[in-house]
Amino acid sequence: MQITLSVNGETRGLDLDPRVTLLDALRDHLRLTGSKKGCDHGQCGACTVLMDGRRVNACLVLAAMAEGAEITTVEGLGSPEAPAALQAEFTACDGFQCGYCTPGQIMSATGMLGEAREGWPSHVSPSLAGPVSLSDGEIAERMSGNLCRCAAYPSIRQAIAKAAALPDETVAEAGE
Amino acid sequence: MRPFGYTRPAGLAEAGTAAAEGATLIAGGTNLLDLMKLQVAAPERLADIGHVPGLDGIEETETGLRIGALVTNSALAADPRIRKGWPVLSRAILAGASGQIRNRATTAGNLLQRTRCPYFQDPASACNKRVPGSGCPARGGVSRMTAILGTSENCIAAHPSDMAVAMVLLGAEAEIRAAAGTSRRLALPDLWRVPGDQPDEETTLQPGEIITAVHLPAPRGGAVQAYRKGARRNRDAGTGCLARP
């Protein structure tokens, strides 16, 4: 079937079997291999992308279901010359070991910081009324949909905390 | 995944007709696509209702709140009215899954998600819910996450939803549209069947019926609400959940 996807601001037409997931469309058909396939069942978070600004597991969305949505992958976040705040902090804090989960971690953190800015509570928030204070425990809980087999979690949380402490507009730019 | 046809109904009438003709409805897809990859589910046709207009809002009504079927679990848990008046619902939703899943999972889809019984999710195993008459290896098998109450000789599967526990407690009702266009309301406990001798029949929905919303009655004034869940990890389905209004 004919499917039109809008990815990182570009519109791309594809002829795909309805079974193709958004993740496979990105990786195998658009050659955007930054989004990774870990478990392919929505448990590891390596495939996390933004769909209309919200983080989702690209392995649990059919490409056909994503038609009409604006998709942002790690390739659309920043560049080596001008990395997004989270990309710079992951590098500065050594927030990875093998790096396989990193694009998903960074895309998830991008979405997560947006959710926190909007005041969304989490399971560990002491109050539902807010405001959200991104403690180490809050970051861990909010990032629990992203697994790191190397267990680089302390550095990942540190990188996210440092990006979260930057002025809002800097982080907001990373989410656009 | 097995091959399937994909359509996007423009509205509820078209979606109802598709469902009455045997199409499987999909919206968030977080549970259904997972089961399709495992070949536990193999629908011939998917009707994607994720873009049907008018189903993604939360409105105040004379009696409480009307939550559209397509409101995401994230949006529902974060809604200021829910956080203030029905906090047990926010807490229950936030006790399950992950941020990514909650951003896609919908209100009606959460109610209709399938059990996490390991034998149901494994096509190589017998399972009366998946293949009626094949047996229930969960009885006497790996049963840590299965049900204690409401079981039968044929099935001991539990519903995995945290959200549903809170909604039942709060007296929620499902708003259901029949393919003919009529609408009915159903107290949530009456939406599901206990397994009995037909564990493959999970709900009381008729062919072509679609859950269009969930109605929450006004909260009881002065009550303290809390949700407690016992699970190995937060993201797992609960092995025991308690909620009180």
Side-chain angles (χ1 to χ4, degrees):
Chain A
M1 62 186 292
Q2 295 297 321
I3 293 166
T4 305
L5 290 179
S6 179
V7 182
N8 301 330
E10 266 186 60
T11 304
R12 307 280 294 269
L14 294 169
D15 186 13
L16 300 175
D17 186 290
R19 288 175 288 181
V20 175
T21 62
L22 174 60
L23 176 62
D24 288 342
L26 292 170
R27 289 183 54 83
D28 300 341
H29 298 270
L30 297 177
R31 300 294 169 198
L32 293 169
T33 54
S35 310
K36 297 292 187 266
K37 186 184 278 193
C39 69
D40 207 25
H41 285 279
Q43 297 180 3
C44 76
C47 66
T48 303
V49 299
L50 301 184
M51 195 168 170
D52 289 330
R54 297 290 184 209
R55 54 178 171 159
V56 305
N57 299 118
C59 73
L60 287 186
V61 179
L62 293 173
M65 296 163 73
E67 193 167 55
E70 178 56 45
I71 307 299
T72 308
T73 70
V74 73
E75 289 91 343
L77 207 57
S79 64
E81 298 74 34
L86 275 162
Q87 290 171 315
E89 297 298 350
F90 266 71
T91 311
C93 298
D94 212 12
F96 43 80
Q97 192 177 125
C98 81
Y100 194 80
C101 73
T102 311
Q105 297 278 3
I106 289 176
M107 294 314 292
S108 183
T110 303
M112 182 278 275
L113 292 182
E115 294 165 7
R117 270 199 308 277
E118 289 173 53
W120 289 13
S122 86
H123 174 62
V124 299
S125 300
S127 160
L128 292 174
V132 174
S133 169
L134 284 180
S135 63
D136 203 48
E138 279 278 4
I139 293 174
E141 163 61 23
R142 289 166 188 264
M143 292 298 293
S144 65
N146 291 80
L147 305 184
C148 172
R149 195 67 181 77
C150 309
Y153 296 112
S155 314
I156 292 170
R157 293 199 300 273
Q158 186 191 14
I160 295 170
K162 284 178 70 180
L166 294 170
D168 270 4
E169 54 274 21
T170 319
V171 181
E173 275 169 24
E176 279 166 11
Chain B
M1 281 187 260
R2 301 280 184 190
F4 56 84
Y6 174 92
T7 57
R8 261 195 202 190
L12 275 174
E14 207 181 308
T17 304
E21 289 171 356
T24 298
L25 301 182
I26 189 167
T30 52
N31 185 222
L32 180 57
L33 286 174
D34 188 28
L35 294 175
M36 286 167 66
K37 289 180 182 196
L38 297 169
Q39 299 197 4
V40 169
E44 285 178 17
R45 278 187 300 148
L46 286 185
D48 180 0
I49 58 168
H51 301 79
V52 168
L55 298 180
D56 62 350
I58 304 174
E59 305 148 25
E60 282 159 49
T61 65
E62 284 179 13
T63 53
L65 282 187
R66 178 183 184 273
I67 303 159
L70 295 180
V71 171
T72 64
N73 288 181
S74 288
L76 186 56
D79 187 274
R81 294 160 293 187
I82 299 288
R83 282 152 65 182
K84 189 163 187 290
W86 296 266
V88 68
L89 182 54
S90 286
R91 287 294 184 189
I93 292 169
L94 294 171
S98 67
Q100 290 96 317
I101 299 276
R102 291 192 297 268
N103 279 347
R104 286 291 296 167
T106 64
T107 302
N110 186 312
L111 295 176
L112 297 176
Q113 66 180 307
R114 314 294 299 277
T115 183
R116 300 297 191 275
C117 176
Y119 301 97
F120 172 75
Q121 292 187 302
D122 172 20
S125 294
C127 170
N128 285 327
K129 191 182 275 298
R130 191 164 27 73
V131 184
S134 61
C136 177
R139 290 174 59 90
V142 177
S143 56
R144 193 180 63 85
M145 283 166 58
T146 52
I148 297 168
L149 305 173
T151 61
S152 75
E153 282 182 14
N154 302 297
C155 183
I156 58 172
H159 194 288
S161 173
D162 289 292
M163 184 194 83
V165 174
M167 281 188 168
V168 166
L169 178 92
L170 293 167
E173 291 183 337
E175 178 189 298
I176 297 165
R177 181 194 187 278
T182 53
S183 187
R184 67 181 175 118
R185 297 260 290 257
L186 186 65
L188 275 195
D190 298 329
L191 173 64
W192 300 284
R193 296 172 188 270
V194 289
D197 55 8
Q198 275 193 302
D200 56 311
E201 293 276 337
E202 295 184 348
T203 74
T204 56
L205 292 176
Q206 300 300 307
E209 283 193 322
I210 299 175
I211 298 178
T212 48
V214 171
H215 289 262
L216 279 186
R220 266 195 267 163
V224 176
Q225 300 184 9
Y227 186 75
R228 293 287 178 269
K229 171 178 177 176
R232 207 156 49 179
R233 292 182 311 158
N234 188 38
R235 297 173 60 210
D236 291 341
T239 44
C241 304
L242 281 174
R244 68 168 298 203

Short mmCIF file of all heavy atoms in Angstrom, two decimals, chain B residues 31-73:
data_model
loop_
_atom_site.label_atom_id
_atom_site.label_comp_id
_atom_site.label_asym_id
_atom_site.label_seq_id
_atom_site.Cartn_x
_atom_site.Cartn_y
_atom_site.Cartn_z
N ASN B 31 -0.85 -3.35 22.50
CA ASN B 31 -1.07 -4.75 22.88
C ASN B 31 -1.33 -5.61 21.64
O ASN B 31 -0.72 -6.68 21.47
CB ASN B 31 -2.23 -4.85 23.87
CG ASN B 31 -2.45 -6.26 24.41
OD1 ASN B 31 -3.58 -6.70 24.52
ND2 ASN B 31 -1.39 -6.98 24.73
N LEU B 32 -2.19 -5.13 20.75
CA LEU B 32 -2.58 -5.94 19.59
C LEU B 32 -1.38 -6.23 18.66
O LEU B 32 -1.19 -7.37 18.22
CB LEU B 32 -3.69 -5.24 18.81
CG LEU B 32 -4.19 -5.97 17.56
CD1 LEU B 32 -4.69 -7.36 17.91
CD2 LEU B 32 -5.28 -5.17 16.86
N LEU B 33 -0.56 -5.21 18.37
CA LEU B 33 0.57 -5.45 17.47
C LEU B 33 1.57 -6.42 18.08
O LEU B 33 2.16 -7.25 17.39
CB LEU B 33 1.25 -4.13 17.10
CG LEU B 33 0.46 -3.26 16.12
CD1 LEU B 33 1.13 -1.91 15.95
CD2 LEU B 33 0.32 -3.95 14.77
N ASP B 34 1.76 -6.30 19.40
CA ASP B 34 2.63 -7.24 20.10
C ASP B 34 2.12 -8.67 19.90
O ASP B 34 2.87 -9.58 19.56
CB ASP B 34 2.67 -6.85 21.57
CG ASP B 34 3.71 -7.63 22.37
OD1 ASP B 34 4.71 -8.06 21.77
OD2 ASP B 34 3.52 -7.80 23.58
N LEU B 35 0.81 -8.87 20.10
CA LEU B 35 0.23 -10.20 19.97
C LEU B 35 0.24 -10.68 18.51
O LEU B 35 0.35 -11.88 18.24
CB LEU B 35 -1.21 -10.21 20.52
CG LEU B 35 -1.31 -9.98 22.03
CD1 LEU B 35 -2.77 -9.88 22.46
CD2 LEU B 35 -0.61 -11.09 22.80
N MET B 36 0.14 -9.74 17.58
CA MET B 36 0.22 -10.12 16.15
C MET B 36 1.64 -10.58 15.80
O MET B 36 1.83 -11.51 15.01
CB MET B 36 -0.21 -8.95 15.27
CG MET B 36 -1.72 -8.70 15.30
SD MET B 36 -2.22 -7.13 14.58
CE MET B 36 -1.79 -7.39 12.86
N LYS B 37 2.65 -9.94 16.39
CA LYS B 37 4.02 -10.37 16.14
C LYS B 37 4.27 -11.77 16.69
O LYS B 37 5.02 -12.55 16.13
CB LYS B 37 5.01 -9.38 16.77
CG LYS B 37 5.06 -8.04 16.06
CD LYS B 37 6.05 -7.12 16.74
CE LYS B 37 6.05 -5.77 16.05
NZ LYS B 37 7.22 -4.95 16.40
N LEU B 38 3.61 -12.07 17.83
CA LEU B 38 3.75 -13.40 18.44
C LEU B 38 2.86 -14.42 17.74
O LEU B 38 2.92 -15.60 18.04
CB LEU B 38 3.36 -13.33 19.93
CG LEU B 38 4.23 -12.46 20.83
CD1 LEU B 38 3.57 -12.29 22.20
CD2 LEU B 38 5.61 -13.08 20.99
N GLN B 39 2.03 -13.95 16.80
CA GLN B 39 1.02 -14.75 16.12
C GLN B 39 0.01 -15.36 17.09
O GLN B 39 -0.57 -16.41 16.83
CB GLN B 39 1.67 -15.80 15.22
CG GLN B 39 2.52 -15.13 14.14
CD GLN B 39 2.88 -16.02 12.97
OE1 GLN B 39 2.44 -17.15 12.88
NE2 GLN B 39 3.68 -15.47 12.07
N VAL B 40 -0.16 -14.69 18.23
CA VAL B 40 -1.26 -15.02 19.13
C VAL B 40 -2.54 -14.42 18.54
O VAL B 40 -3.62 -14.99 18.65
CB VAL B 40 -0.99 -14.47 20.54
CG1 VAL B 40 -2.21 -14.56 21.43
CG2 VAL B 40 0.18 -15.22 21.17
N ALA B 41 -2.41 -13.28 17.91
CA ALA B 41 -3.52 -12.65 17.19
C ALA B 41 -3.15 -12.61 15.71
O ALA B 41 -2.00 -12.35 15.36
CB ALA B 41 -3.78 -11.23 17.71
N ALA B 42 -4.11 -12.94 14.86
CA ALA B 42 -3.85 -12.94 13.41
C ALA B 42 -5.10 -12.42 12.69
O ALA B 42 -5.76 -13.15 11.95
CB ALA B 42 -3.48 -14.34 12.93
N PRO B 43 -5.43 -11.14 12.90
CA PRO B 43 -6.62 -10.60 12.23
C PRO B 43 -6.44 -10.55 10.71
O PRO B 43 -5.33 -10.33 10.23
CB PRO B 43 -6.75 -9.19 12.81
CG PRO B 43 -5.40 -8.85 13.31
CD PRO B 43 -4.74 -10.13 13.70
N GLU B 44 -7.53 -10.77 10.00
CA GLU B 44 -7.44 -10.68 8.53
C GLU B 44 -7.52 -9.24 8.07
O GLU B 44 -6.97 -8.88 7.04
CB GLU B 44 -8.57 -11.49 7.89
CG GLU B 44 -8.31 -12.98 7.95
CD GLU B 44 -9.44 -13.79 7.36
OE1 GLU B 44 -10.27 -13.22 6.62
OE2 GLU B 44 -9.49 -15.00 7.65
N ARG B 45 -8.25 -8.43 8.86
CA ARG B 45 -8.37 -7.02 8.50
C ARG B 45 -8.26 -6.16 9.75
O ARG B 45 -8.86 -6.46 10.78
CB ARG B 45 -9.74 -6.75 7.84
CG ARG B 45 -9.77 -7.09 6.36
CD ARG B 45 -11.08 -6.66 5.76
NE ARG B 45 -12.19 -7.33 6.41
CZ ARG B 45 -13.39 -6.79 6.58
NH1 ARG B 45 -13.63 -5.56 6.20
NH2 ARG B 45 -14.35 -7.47 7.16
N LEU B 46 -7.50 -5.08 9.64
CA LEU B 46 -7.41 -4.09 10.71
C LEU B 46 -8.14 -2.83 10.26
O LEU B 46 -7.91 -2.33 9.16
CB LEU B 46 -5.95 -3.71 11.00
CG LEU B 46 -5.07 -4.71 11.75
CD1 LEU B 46 -3.72 -4.06 12.03
CD2 LEU B 46 -5.72 -5.15 13.05
N ALA B 47 -9.02 -2.33 11.11
CA ALA B 47 -9.64 -1.02 10.87
C ALA B 47 -9.06 -0.06 11.91
O ALA B 47 -9.29 -0.22 13.11
CB ALA B 47 -11.16 -1.11 11.00
N ASP B 48 -8.25 0.88 11.43
CA ASP B 48 -7.53 1.80 12.32
C ASP B 48 -8.44 2.97 12.67
O ASP B 48 -8.70 3.84 11.84
CB ASP B 48 -6.26 2.29 11.60
CG ASP B 48 -5.45 3.25 12.45
OD1 ASP B 48 -5.85 3.54 13.58
OD2 ASP B 48 -4.39 3.71 11.94
N ILE B 49 -8.93 2.98 13.92
CA ILE B 49 -9.84 4.05 14.34
C ILE B 49 -9.09 5.16 15.06
O ILE B 49 -9.70 6.05 15.66
CB ILE B 49 -10.98 3.51 15.23
CG1 ILE B 49 -10.40 2.81 16.48
CG2 ILE B 49 -11.87 2.55 14.45
CD1 ILE B 49 -11.45 2.52 17.54
N GLY B 50 -7.76 5.11 15.01
CA GLY B 50 -6.95 6.08 15.75
C GLY B 50 -7.18 7.53 15.35
O GLY B 50 -6.83 8.44 16.10
N HIS B 51 -7.76 7.74 14.17
CA HIS B 51 -7.96 9.11 13.70
C HIS B 51 -9.43 9.50 13.62
O HIS B 51 -9.76 10.56 13.09
CB HIS B 51 -7.31 9.29 12.33
CG HIS B 51 -5.84 9.00 12.34
ND1 HIS B 51 -5.34 7.72 12.31
CD2 HIS B 51 -4.77 9.82 12.42
CE1 HIS B 51 -4.02 7.77 12.36
NE2 HIS B 51 -3.64 9.03 12.42
N VAL B 52 -10.31 8.63 14.12
CA VAL B 52 -11.74 8.97 14.09
C VAL B 52 -11.96 10.20 14.98
O VAL B 52 -11.57 10.20 16.15
CB VAL B 52 -12.59 7.77 14.58
CG1 VAL B 52 -14.04 8.21 14.83
CG2 VAL B 52 -12.55 6.64 13.57
N PRO B 53 -12.56 11.26 14.43
CA PRO B 53 -12.68 12.49 15.21
C PRO B 53 -13.69 12.38 16.35
O PRO B 53 -14.61 11.56 16.31
CB PRO B 53 -13.16 13.53 14.17
CG PRO B 53 -13.72 12.74 13.04
CD PRO B 53 -13.06 11.40 13.06
N GLY B 54 -13.48 13.18 17.37
CA GLY B 54 -14.45 13.31 18.47
C GLY B 54 -14.30 12.32 19.60
O GLY B 54 -15.12 12.29 20.52
N LEU B 55 -13.26 11.48 19.55
CA LEU B 55 -13.13 10.45 20.58
C LEU B 55 -11.94 10.69 21.51
O LEU B 55 -11.63 9.86 22.35
CB LEU B 55 -12.96 9.06 19.93
CG LEU B 55 -14.11 8.55 19.06
CD1 LEU B 55 -13.78 7.17 18.51
CD2 LEU B 55 -15.40 8.49 19.87
N ASP B 56 -11.25 11.83 21.34
CA ASP B 56 -10.01 12.00 22.12
C ASP B 56 -10.10 13.13 23.15
O ASP B 56 -9.09 13.65 23.59
CB ASP B 56 -8.82 12.22 21.19
CG ASP B 56 -8.95 13.50 20.36
OD1 ASP B 56 -10.05 14.10 20.38
OD2 ASP B 56 -7.98 13.89 19.71
N GLY B 57 -11.33 13.47 23.55
CA GLY B 57 -11.48 14.56 24.51
C GLY B 57 -12.02 14.08 25.86
O GLY B 57 -12.60 13.00 25.97
N ILE B 58 -11.76 14.89 26.90
CA ILE B 58 -12.32 14.64 28.23
C ILE B 58 -13.25 15.82 28.52
O ILE B 58 -12.81 16.95 28.56
CB ILE B 58 -11.22 14.55 29.31
CG1 ILE B 58 -10.20 13.47 28.94
CG2 ILE B 58 -11.83 14.28 30.68
CD1 ILE B 58 -9.00 13.40 29.89
N GLU B 59 -14.56 15.52 28.69
CA GLU B 59 -15.53 16.59 28.89
C GLU B 59 -16.21 16.45 30.24
O GLU B 59 -16.45 15.33 30.70
CB GLU B 59 -16.65 16.51 27.82
CG GLU B 59 -16.19 16.50 26.39
CD GLU B 59 -17.13 15.66 25.52
OE1 GLU B 59 -18.32 15.51 25.89
OE2 GLU B 59 -16.66 15.15 24.50
N GLU B 60 -16.54 17.61 30.81
CA GLU B 60 -17.34 17.58 32.04
C GLU B 60 -18.80 17.38 31.66
O GLU B 60 -19.29 18.00 30.72
CB GLU B 60 -17.14 18.89 32.80
CG GLU B 60 -15.81 18.90 33.55
CD GLU B 60 -15.31 20.28 33.90
OE1 GLU B 60 -16.10 21.06 34.45
OE2 GLU B 60 -14.12 20.56 33.62
N THR B 61 -19.48 16.50 32.38
CA THR B 61 -20.89 16.25 32.16
C THR B 61 -21.66 16.62 33.43
O THR B 61 -21.05 16.99 34.44
CB THR B 61 -21.15 14.77 31.83
OG1 THR B 61 -20.80 13.99 32.98
CG2 THR B 61 -20.31 14.32 30.64
N GLU B 62 -23.00 16.48 33.38
CA GLU B 62 -23.80 16.79 34.58
C GLU B 62 -23.47 15.86 35.73
O GLU B 62 -23.63 16.21 36.89
CB GLU B 62 -25.29 16.70 34.24
CG GLU B 62 -25.78 17.91 33.45
CD GLU B 62 -27.26 17.80 33.11
OE1 GLU B 62 -27.94 16.94 33.68
OE2 GLU B 62 -27.71 18.59 32.25
N THR B 63 -23.02 14.66 35.39
CA THR B 63 -22.81 13.66 36.44
C THR B 63 -21.34 13.39 36.73
O THR B 63 -21.01 12.65 37.65
CB THR B 63 -23.47 12.32 36.04
OG1 THR B 63 -22.98 11.96 34.74
CG2 THR B 63 -24.97 12.44 35.99
N GLY B 64 -20.46 13.95 35.96
CA GLY B 64 -19.04 13.67 36.20
C GLY B 64 -18.19 14.01 34.99
O GLY B 64 -18.23 15.13 34.50
N LEU B 65 -17.47 13.03 34.49
CA LEU B 65 -16.60 13.23 33.33
C LEU B 65 -16.89 12.19 32.27
O LEU B 65 -17.22 11.04 32.57
CB LEU B 65 -15.12 13.10 33.71
CG LEU B 65 -14.40 14.24 34.43
CD1 LEU B 65 -12.92 13.92 34.53
CD2 LEU B 65 -14.60 15.58 33.71
N ARG B 66 -16.78 12.61 31.00
CA ARG B 66 -16.86 11.67 29.89
C ARG B 66 -15.47 11.62 29.24
O ARG B 66 -14.97 12.64 28.75
CB ARG B 66 -17.90 12.11 28.87
CG ARG B 66 -18.00 11.20 27.66
CD ARG B 66 -19.02 11.74 26.66
NE ARG B 66 -19.21 10.83 25.53
CZ ARG B 66 -18.46 10.84 24.43
NH1 ARG B 66 -17.45 11.68 24.31
NH2 ARG B 66 -18.70 9.97 23.44
N ILE B 67 -14.85 10.45 29.28
CA ILE B 67 -13.50 10.27 28.75
C ILE B 67 -13.61 9.58 27.41
O ILE B 67 -14.08 8.44 27.31
CB ILE B 67 -12.66 9.39 29.72
CG1 ILE B 67 -12.62 10.03 31.11
CG2 ILE B 67 -11.25 9.18 29.18
CD1 ILE B 67 -12.27 9.04 32.21
N GLY B 68 -13.18 10.23 26.34
CA GLY B 68 -13.26 9.66 25.01
C GLY B 68 -12.42 8.39 24.90
O GLY B 68 -11.38 8.26 25.55
N ALA B 69 -12.88 7.46 24.06
CA ALA B 69 -12.23 6.16 23.94
C ALA B 69 -10.76 6.28 23.52
O ALA B 69 -9.95 5.44 23.87
CB ALA B 69 -12.98 5.29 22.94
N LEU B 70 -10.44 7.34 22.76
CA LEU B 70 -9.08 7.46 22.23
C LEU B 70 -8.17 8.33 23.09
O LEU B 70 -7.02 8.59 22.72
CB LEU B 70 -9.11 8.02 20.80
CG LEU B 70 -9.77 7.13 19.74
CD1 LEU B 70 -9.73 7.82 18.39
CD2 LEU B 70 -9.09 5.77 19.66
N VAL B 71 -8.67 8.81 24.24
CA VAL B 71 -7.79 9.56 25.15
C VAL B 71 -6.64 8.64 25.57
O VAL B 71 -6.88 7.51 25.99
CB VAL B 71 -8.58 10.05 26.39
CG1 VAL B 71 -7.64 10.63 27.44
CG2 VAL B 71 -9.64 11.05 25.98
N THR B 72 -5.41 9.11 25.43
CA THR B 72 -4.29 8.24 25.77
C THR B 72 -4.19 8.07 27.29
O THR B 72 -4.65 8.93 28.06
CB THR B 72 -2.95 8.79 25.26
OG1 THR B 72 -2.67 10.03 25.92
CG2 THR B 72 -2.96 8.99 23.74
N ASN B 73 -3.57 7.00 27.70
CA ASN B 73 -3.36 6.76 29.13
C ASN B 73 -2.56 7.91 29.73
O ASN B 73 -2.82 8.33 30.86
CB ASN B 73 -2.63 5.44 29.35
CG ASN B 73 -3.50 4.22 29.07
OD1 ASN B 73 -3.06 3.09 29.22
ND2 ASN B 73 -4.75 4.41 28.65
#
